[in-house]
């Protein structure tokens, strides 16, 4: 089977989503111009989500390839439900309900009948959202590079220097705290407390998830180890997915104030990202192209830093997406170049497949 068979459900959801978006365009505007505008926004949001989340799919594949098949399937079923409905609909409604001190049903009514007011409240909450997501992702990226067992380096000048400091336990926490203090000093006084609390929660959640993962992966009876390791990895992936989604969900309000159009557009992108992950796992792409992981984790650090910057000024999502794609392409090219110079190692990975 070819590559396209991985995306058959994504194609189906794309058609369904675009039809639903077209109907919403007519419902809200009662004009063909409105229909075309809603259709266009759905497409742009889907493309934006895919470009911002290519690194997400690579990191997901890195974790997913070690999970049992049953947990891989759960990630693709329960996980996609959480990604599309949880992060794209329930999460924004929860933020609005908390920020405006109203109940979730009132937040839903606000989203349906007063979308511009809904968008304004959502944008006002962007400091806390960005601080939380940036801190979690910064820890994910730094944890990868400050790993004393990491012996494959892509950008040698940087990574060999970083590797010299891996003897310092918890250095990634120290660096993240330094960044938090720097940006806390730069944000306005009215947002300082929100930034600090959200950032510290992001750090705390990462450390808790890491701790749970270590606990669940401890040696036990074989069946328990399989079951708990799968559950721990699943929880980690869902929180990681959520952190990747923060910038896209908030940034989408720059294109539309309609909750449902945003959910449809980003949801379409989320489907493709999920099945790109499956393709990477089943074809052992990460084993065959050794620097792809590095490219993904560099883009995670860039995304995390840009989310910190978002608390000070708007950083266009298009620029972040382009940088992510460039890093992934550069890592892919470097991997191909390495395979040409070491054909025997590349053939070994093909035989393993």
């Amino acid at each position: 089977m070819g590559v396209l068979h991985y995306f058959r459900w994504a194609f189906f959801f794309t058609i369904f989503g675009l039809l639903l978006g077209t109907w919403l365009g007519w419902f809200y505007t009662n004009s063909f111009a409105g229909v075309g505008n809603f259709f266009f926004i759905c497409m742009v949001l889907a493309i934006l989500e895919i470009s911002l989340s290519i690194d997400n799919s690579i990191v997901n594949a890195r974790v997913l390839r070690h999970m049992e098949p049953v947990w891989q399937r759960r990630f693709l079923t329960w996980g996609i439900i959480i990604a599309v409905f949880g992060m794209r609909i329930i999460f924004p409604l929860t933020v609005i309900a908390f920020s405006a001190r109203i109940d979730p049903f009132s937040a839903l009514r606000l989203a349906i009948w007063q979308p511009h007011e809904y968008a304004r409240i959502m944008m006002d909450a962007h400091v806390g959202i960005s601080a939380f997501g940036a801190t979690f992702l910064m820890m994910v990226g730094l944890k990868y590079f400050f790993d004393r067992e990491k012996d494959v380096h892509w950008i040698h000048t940087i990574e060999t220097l970083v590797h010299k400091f891996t003897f310092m336990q918890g250095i990634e926490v120290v660096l993240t705290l330094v960044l938090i203090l720097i940006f806390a000093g730069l944000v306005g006084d009215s947002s300082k407390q929100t930034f600090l609390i959200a950032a510290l929660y992001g750090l705390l959640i990462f450390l808790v998830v890491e701790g749970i993962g270590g606990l669940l992966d401890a040696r036990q009876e074989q069946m328990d180890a399989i079951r708990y390791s799968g559950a721990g990895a699943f929880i980690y992936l869902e929180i990681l997915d959520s952190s990747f989604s923060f910038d896209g969900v908030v940034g989408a309000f720059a294109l539309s104030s309609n909750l449902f159009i945003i959910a449809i557009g980003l949801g379409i992108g989320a489907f493709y990202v999920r099945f790109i992950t499956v393709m990477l796992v089943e074809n052992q792409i990460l084993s065959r192209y050794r620097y792809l992981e590095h490219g993904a984790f560099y883009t995670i650090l860039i995304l995390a830093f840009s989310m910190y910057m978002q608390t000070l000024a708007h950083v266009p999502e298009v620029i972040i997406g382009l940088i992510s794609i460039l890093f992934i392409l550069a890592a892919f090219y470097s991997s191909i170049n390495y395979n040409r110079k070491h054909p025997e190692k590349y053939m070994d990975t093909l035989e393993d497949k």
Side-chain angles (χ1 to χ4, degrees):
M1 291 186 290
V3 172
L4 291 180
H5 87 275
Y6 288 104
F7 302 101
R8 56 187 182 277
W9 284 108
F11 293 150
F12 173 80
F13 187 79
T14 300
I15 295 170
F16 173 78
L18 291 177
L19 289 174
L20 183 58
T22 300
W23 177 81
L24 285 172
W26 184 262
F27 175 80
Y28 279 102
T29 67
N30 201 32
S31 68
F32 289 107
V35 168
N37 183 50
F38 274 49
F39 182 90
F40 177 73
I41 291 174
C42 280
M43 291 293 294
V44 171
L45 287 173
I47 294 170
L48 183 64
E49 176 72 5
I50 294 170
S51 65
L52 286 172
S53 300
I54 291 295
D55 49 352
N56 187 12
S57 64
I58 294 173
V59 177
N60 284 348
R62 182 172 180 260
V63 178
L64 201 65
R65 63 182 173 177
H66 299 300
M67 293 170 66
E68 287 295 300
V70 63
W71 281 102
Q72 292 181 2
R73 290 193 296 271
R74 287 170 181 171
F75 177 71
L76 293 172
T77 52
W78 301 351
I80 197 65
I81 293 172
I82 294 171
V84 175
F85 296 100
M87 281 308 300
R88 273 72 183 186
I89 297 179
I90 297 175
F91 167 71
L93 288 175
T94 303
V95 170
I96 297 300
F98 181 80
S99 300
R101 292 178 172 81
I102 57 179
D103 62 87
F105 293 105
S106 297
L108 181 60
R109 287 194 293 269
L110 194 68
I112 296 173
W113 305 115
Q114 300 180 55
H116 293 291
E117 178 63 14
Y118 173 90
R120 184 193 66 77
I121 297 173
M122 188 69 187
M123 292 302 293
D124 287 344
H126 82 283
V127 170
I129 296 170
S130 296
F132 179 93
T135 301
F136 189 92
L137 290 178
M138 184 61 68
M139 285 297 298
V140 170
L142 291 177
K143 190 77 174 178
Y144 175 79
F145 288 107
F146 285 101
D147 180 0
R148 67 177 61 188
E149 296 182 2
K150 179 178 175 291
D151 56 1
V152 176
H153 304 314
W154 177 33
I155 303 179
H156 284 265
T157 305
I158 297 175
E159 294 175 42
T160 52
L161 177 63
V162 167
H163 196 263
K164 293 178 182 179
F165 292 92
T166 56
F167 71 92
M168 298 176 61
Q169 189 172 5
I171 186 174
E172 63 275 6
V173 178
V174 174
L175 292 176
T176 302
L177 285 172
V178 169
L179 278 173
I180 291 172
L181 290 174
I182 291 173
F183 279 93
L186 295 174
V187 298
D189 291 337
S190 60
S191 302
K192 194 181 301 291
Q193 184 178 0
T194 300
F195 177 92
L196 280 171
I197 292 174
L200 290 176
Y201 269 115
L203 179 59
L204 176 64
I205 292 297
F206 177 85
L207 294 175
V208 168
V209 171
E210 281 283 297
I212 291 174
L215 177 65
L216 297 180
D217 288 336
R219 291 185 178 275
Q220 305 173 25
E221 292 183 21
Q222 187 175 5
M223 291 306 295
D224 282 344
I226 292 173
R227 174 164 57 90
Y228 288 127
S229 176
F234 179 84
I235 293 170
Y236 175 79
L237 282 176
E238 289 306 319
I239 296 177
L240 185 63
D241 259 7
S242 300
S243 299
F244 273 104
S245 302
F246 288 153
D247 64 322
V249 171
V250 177
F253 283 92
L255 294 174
S256 174
S257 58
N258 189 288
L259 168 70
F260 305 107
I261 286 298
I262 291 173
I264 291 169
L266 297 182
I268 291 172
F271 263 87
Y272 283 94
V273 171
R274 272 297 193 281
F275 293 108
I276 288 173
T277 301
V278 177
M279 183 178 68
L280 292 174
V281 172
E282 292 190 355
N283 291 278
Q284 298 184 8
I285 300 296
L286 298 186
S287 299
R288 293 161 59 184
Y289 301 96
R290 61 192 270 127
Y291 299 128
L292 269 183
E293 284 185 18
H294 297 69
F297 280 97
Y298 274 113
T299 60
I300 285 175
L301 292 177
I302 292 169
L303 176 58
F305 189 79
S306 71
M307 291 178 75
Y308 278 133
M309 291 297 297
Q310 292 276 18
T311 64
L312 306 176
H314 177 65
V315 180
E317 285 74 19
V318 173
I319 293 177
I320 301 171
L322 287 174
I323 293 174
S324 299
I325 291 172
L326 287 175
F327 262 92
I328 298 300
L329 289 177
F332 184 65
Y333 174 79
S334 296
S335 301
I336 292 175
N337 196 39
Y338 178 87
N339 291 339
R340 286 175 183 157
K341 293 179 179 178
H342 305 85
E344 70 287 349
K345 294 184 179 180
Y346 180 66
M347 292 306 297
D348 288 342
T349 61
L350 291 181
E351 290 174 4
D352 291 341
K353 181 179 183 301

